[in-house]
Amino acid sequence: MDQNKAPLYEAMEKYRNDRIVRFDVPGHKGGRGNKELTEFLGEKCLKADVNSMKPLDNLNHPVSVIKDAQHLAAEAFGAHRCFFIVNGTTAAVQAMIMSAVKAGEKILLPRNVHISAINALILSGAVPVYIDPGIDKRLGIALGMSITDIKREMENHPDAKAILINNPTYYGICSDLKEIVELAHSRNMLVLVDEAHGTHFYFGDNMPVSAMAAGADMASVSMHKTGGSLTQSSLLLCGKNVNHDYVRQIISLTQTTSASYLLLVSLDLARKNLSLHGKDIFNKANELAEYARKEINSLGGYYAFSRELINHENVHGFDTTKLSINTSEIGLAGIEVYDILRDEYGIQVEFGDLCNILAIISAGDRAMETERLISALYEIKRLYARDPKNMFCLNYIKPDVVLTPQKAFFGNKKFMPINKSKGMVSGEFVMAYPPGIPILTPGERITDEIIDYIAYAKEKGSQLMGTQDIKLENILVLNEKTELNLNEHFTGI
């Protein structure tokens, strides 16, 4: 196929030039009905915000230009089939899981998954078999999954239908995808990859292996994160051994029937751009990240980690475009540095946790702005550094799983002060966003460590969410009677 083409974009341009009279939705009628919005976004943008129609195809049943655009994307990413997703990579992750496992069926996955994966378990009723990732205690981060641990759980759960892998993690950590795929396929298991942060793996040089190149069955790819499309636009890639028609039906369970053509066209154009220029784009991004990493490490007190973490066990590769920076040696939590950068220096990084910050380096970054980040970090160390002896560095707590997420989420629950909830089973989520990895999920036992972690994270300024109580002073826990009744029907994890 001709990667110079952008069929959906070209159809949209023709539609705009045809000056069609609008008696359909949306109600702003090309921007005429909302002048302030039109002034904010621009007339061309509002005129491209349209509803599904024959000339522009329909995302839920593509037969023309969307179908062609998806085929071009599949070819560009080395997939057998590609689906455009406009409900974010959350919807792509959920579609993968719900396509692979049904109620009562087991799926292997690391516990440091994005909340979208746990939500898929609540929706589907599938049973999680958690594999603990490795932990780097100095950095306070979860690593990848080791082959030894995966083999053990595959042997302990020979009836598992699928395995989900984070690759890369938010911090840039990669597992041994090729070996995992071989192991899983030898046991007739599907391999699903949450590749939200790995768009560039398909186009850059000397990158970790991509999911499709490793032979995975499905991969969710956040094109908007590093691929240049609009926020909320994503891809679901499928291999040749997947029933694509069934996957399309599963997608339609959660994806909107009113797909945004702004998002769809952005996927079409981002794919074209990456196909034609991706290698140069990501080589430059990588050079910029490596320069920043070297300069930041020379400041002292910070640790911008990289490939030196590779141990071929739970760290098989590293994404060097992820500028992950540990801040614990200057006595500041990552979230504190995150806040100072934004409030005092006008610099917005991707996130800060209790020990690290992450700066995403991609196509739109420039050397001048990278120098601003380096200079700001130097100033923050000089002005704000303190004794690091009381730092709490950990972003992963091994869960005590009592019930499946679905049974706990829909169980009979009651409110309880979180500082008095030790020993109870959580009926809801607690997570910091970003990165959106749950500290606590429905069905897990609440421990002193979790309570202390939540209190410390709140004190440092982390944005905690997931609970009905928006102040996170109370938490929904399962009634003891409900827990007993549910356990009677639970075969164990």
Side-chain angles (χ1 to χ4, degrees):
M1 302 183 73
D2 186 356
Q3 292 292 329
N4 288 281
K5 297 289 186 180
L8 184 53
Y9 162 73
E10 293 159 12
M12 176 62 73
E13 282 289 81
K14 182 180 185 305
Y15 169 81
R16 290 200 302 190
N17 292 332
D18 285 345
R19 300 177 65 186
I20 299 295
V21 178
R22 299 169 185 253
F23 283 104
D24 60 351
V25 297
H28 60 69
K29 306 292 182 176
R32 293 194 306 256
N34 192 332
K35 290 184 179 180
E36 189 173 13
L37 181 62
T38 304
E39 289 172 1
F40 178 64
L41 293 177
E43 185 178 352
K44 290 188 71 174
C45 177
L46 270 293
K47 284 187 175 181
D49 183 34
V50 298
N51 194 29
S52 296
M53 61 190 74
K54 282 189 176 181
L56 297 179
D57 209 355
N58 187 302
L59 182 59
N60 290 298
H61 188 78
V63 295
S64 59
V65 289
I66 293 178
K67 179 182 178 181
D68 292 342
Q70 290 183 152
H71 283 172
L72 280 163
E75 181 183 79
F77 282 81
H80 189 68
R81 190 66 62 89
C82 173
F83 296 97
F84 284 1
I85 305 293
V86 295
N87 284 32
T89 306
T90 287
V93 170
Q94 290 173 349
M96 282 198 308
I97 292 174
M98 291 192 293
S99 298
V101 284
K102 301 179 178 66
E105 294 181 339
K106 294 179 183 177
I107 178 171
L108 308 183
L109 70 166
R111 173 56 181 75
N112 61 320
V113 289
H114 189 266
I115 189 173
S116 58
I118 309 297
N119 284 340
L121 301 178
I122 292 174
L123 293 171
S124 68
V127 178
V129 176
Y130 292 127
I131 301 174
D132 284 323
I135 302 295
D136 188 305
K137 293 182 179 179
R138 175 188 175 187
L139 302 176
I141 66 170
L143 304 174
M145 294 187 293
S146 75
I147 297 299
T148 300
D149 291 341
I150 290 171
K151 284 182 177 178
R152 183 184 64 249
E153 295 305 327
M154 285 182 174
E155 290 169 0
N156 290 340
H157 301 274
D159 54 341
K161 301 293 184 181
I163 182 170
L164 172 70
I165 306 106
N166 298 327
N167 205 78
T169 69
Y170 226 140
Y171 302 93
I173 305 296
C174 297
S175 298
D176 189 349
L177 266 190
K178 287 186 175 179
E179 180 68 15
I180 295 170
V181 168
E182 290 179 8
L183 282 170
H185 284 174
S186 70
R187 291 166 169 80
N188 295 316
M189 294 172 61
L190 291 173
V191 179
L192 321 177
V193 182
D194 182 347
E195 208 170 25
H197 297 275
T199 304
H200 46 293
F201 287 6
Y202 291 87
F203 302 98
D205 287 326
N206 301 314
M207 296 283 179
V209 66
S210 69
M212 290 295 105
D217 297 292
M218 287 185 272
S220 54
V221 180
S222 283
M223 277 285 274
H224 69 91
K225 285 186 168 66
T226 58
S229 65
L230 291 178
T231 295
Q232 200 173 309
S233 59
S234 183
L235 302 177
L236 176 55
L237 307 176
C238 298
K240 62 182 178 180
N241 295 321
V242 173
N243 182 341
H244 312 108
D245 293 325
Y246 178 63
V247 173
R248 176 171 49 81
Q249 287 183 322
I250 294 295
I251 291 171
S252 69
L253 295 178
T254 57
Q255 178 146 268
T256 178
T257 56
S258 301
S260 166
Y261 277 84
L262 295 173
L263 301 183
L264 293 173
V265 169
S266 81
L267 285 170
D268 200 20
L269 288 176
R271 181 273 315 156
K272 176 183 175 182
N273 187 43
L274 294 182
S275 296
L276 301 179
H277 311 295
K279 182 175 289 189
D280 288 339
I281 287 170
F282 293 123
N283 285 349
K284 289 176 183 177
N286 192 57
E287 288 174 6
L288 198 57
E290 291 284 41
Y291 167 77
R293 185 173 286 111
K294 179 181 177 182
E295 293 298 309
I296 290 167
N297 282 333
S298 72
L299 299 177
Y302 297 104
Y303 176 29
F305 47 93
S306 186
R307 288 193 173 107
E308 69 276 3
L309 298 184
I310 295 174
N311 57 23
H312 301 291
E313 293 179 5
N314 44 38
V315 185
H316 188 75
F318 188 84
D319 174 11
T320 51
T321 69
K322 299 286 187 299
L323 187 56
S324 301
I325 306 163
N326 186 269
T327 64
S328 55
E329 288 301 311
I330 64 169
L332 294 175
I335 187 61
E336 292 177 303
V337 175
Y338 170 99
D339 286 338
I340 296 169
L341 281 169
R342 183 195 61 243
D343 297 342
E344 303 295 330
Y345 296 91
I347 295 173
Q348 182 67 59
V349 293
E350 175 66 10
F351 78 85
D353 62 19
L354 297 188
C355 323
N356 308 277
I357 60 171
L358 171 63
I360 298 287
I361 308 295
S362 59
D365 288 294
R366 299 178 295 179
M368 179 179 65
E369 291 163 342
T370 305
E371 293 289 359
R372 280 187 61 187
L373 173 63
I374 296 166
S375 298
L377 290 173
Y378 169 78
E379 286 292 308
I380 289 171
K381 175 190 171 186
R382 184 176 67 85
L383 296 173
Y384 296 98
R386 54 179 181 250
D387 191 336
K389 66 179 180 181
N390 293 320
M391 294 294 293
F392 181 89
C393 266
L394 185 65
N395 81 345
Y396 177 79
I397 298 172
K398 185 174 181 178
D400 178 8
V401 182
V402 179
L403 300 171
T404 62
Q406 186 187 67
K407 290 183 177 180
F409 186 82
F410 292 112
N412 188 13
K413 296 173 284 191
K414 63 183 179 183
F415 274 112
M416 175 175 286
I418 196 164
N419 59 3
K420 297 181 180 179
S421 63
K422 177 186 176 183
M424 304 300 292
V425 177
S426 177
E428 55 187 350
F429 290 96
V430 179
M431 66 173 181
Y433 189 87
I437 298 168
I439 301 164
L440 187 65
T441 74
E444 293 177 357
R445 186 82 64 186
I446 301 170
T447 63
D448 280 333
E449 190 177 18
I450 290 171
I451 294 171
D452 291 344
Y453 182 100
I454 291 170
Y456 185 84
K458 286 176 68 175
E459 176 190 338
K460 293 299 182 182
S462 294
Q463 186 176 10
L464 298 176
M465 58 182 66
T467 52
Q468 285 191 25
D469 179 4
I470 201 166
K471 294 182 180 180
L472 197 54
E473 295 171 352
N474 300 287
I475 189 168
L476 280 170
V477 298
L478 293 178
N479 288 329
E480 290 84 348
K481 184 177 180 181
T482 301
E483 183 182 332
L484 177 63
N485 290 339
L486 289 172
N487 266 311
E488 291 175 357
H489 305 287
F490 184 52
T491 56
I493 294 179

